[in-house]
Amino acid sequence: MVCLGNICRSPLAEGIMQKLSNDKKLNWKVDSAGTGGWHVGESPHVGSINIAKKHGIDISKQKARQFNKRDFDVFDEIYVMDEENYKDIIRLTTNEIHAKKVKYLLSAANMMEQNVPDPYYTNKFEDTYNLIFSACKTIISSKTALN
Ligand code: 4NP
């Protein structure tokens, strides 16, 4: 799960997808990272921590990190929150196999919108949570339906 700062959107996406996969007893390793490095080592934004907590998910122990090229080999799927993230991550790819792993979270869930609006600027953490939760639910259902 990738966003810009790894303190607002992608920590929520990590927490939600990890919880949903754990609930389904899947052995998924979900992680998140930012394209930028300004917040490396920081905890998630208090707005993200609180909205996750309200829904029974603890993301308070997460620490922000910057996306690393090694992530292309470590992870099977790389979900980005918006177009800026997509361009930044695609720019780091060196082959088609890696590029194919990069997807918009919302588009992968067949949602009409492409970008998850950034609550860092809008403070709409509840809307962000609902949007990401809905996308993660759809993705996990589609993946597990295949197995
Ligand atoms: P995020 O939100 O990409 O969802 O973590 C942001 C967090 C910090 C900044 C921008 C967006 N920032 O400019 O510091």
Side-chain angles (χ1 to χ4, degrees):
M1 299 298 184
V2 175
C3 65
L4 177 61
N6 193 211
I7 57 168
C8 293
R9 294 166 294 174
S10 59
L12 273 177
E14 176 189 334
I16 290 167
M17 192 63 109
Q18 190 69 69
K19 166 83 161 55
L20 292 174
S21 63
N22 291 351
D23 287 351
K24 282 188 178 279
K25 307 261 186 295
L26 299 170
N27 199 19
W28 287 11
K29 176 179 161 45
V30 185
D31 199 1
S32 64
T35 54
W38 314 281
H39 297 281
V40 168
E42 291 179 21
S43 301
H45 191 289
V46 68
S48 290
I49 291 177
N50 287 343
I51 196 67
K53 191 175 173 191
K54 185 177 157 194
H55 294 274
I57 301 175
D58 180 12
I59 64 166
S60 67
K61 311 285 190 304
Q62 291 184 29
K63 293 286 179 238
R65 72 176 181 93
Q66 189 167 19
F67 186 86
N68 187 296
K69 280 184 178 183
R70 284 190 299 273
D71 291 323
F72 287 124
D73 292 314
V74 173
F75 295 96
D76 299 319
E77 317 259 356
I78 296 165
Y79 294 107
V80 298
M81 300 299 131
D82 66 25
E83 188 172 13
E84 186 187 0
N85 309 150
Y86 187 84
K87 287 178 178 163
D88 287 340
I89 295 298
I90 286 293
R91 201 176 294 129
L92 297 175
T93 59
T94 50
N95 63 60
E96 197 55 30
I97 294 169
H98 291 171
K100 282 213 171 95
K101 293 185 176 187
V102 188
K103 294 160 190 162
Y104 285 95
L105 180 73
L106 300 189
S107 306
N110 298 315
M111 290 162 81
M112 297 296 287
E113 315 95 300
Q114 174 182 261
N115 300 330
V116 179
D118 198 336
Y120 188 74
Y121 306 111
T122 65
N123 233 32
K124 293 183 174 172
F125 286 91
E126 181 104 54
D127 292 351
T128 306
Y129 181 93
N130 291 335
L131 197 56
I132 293 175
F133 182 84
S134 177
C136 289
K137 261 285 209 212
T138 301
I139 290 169
I140 206 159
S141 301
S142 66
K143 297 272 181 201
T144 50
L146 299 175
N147 296 324

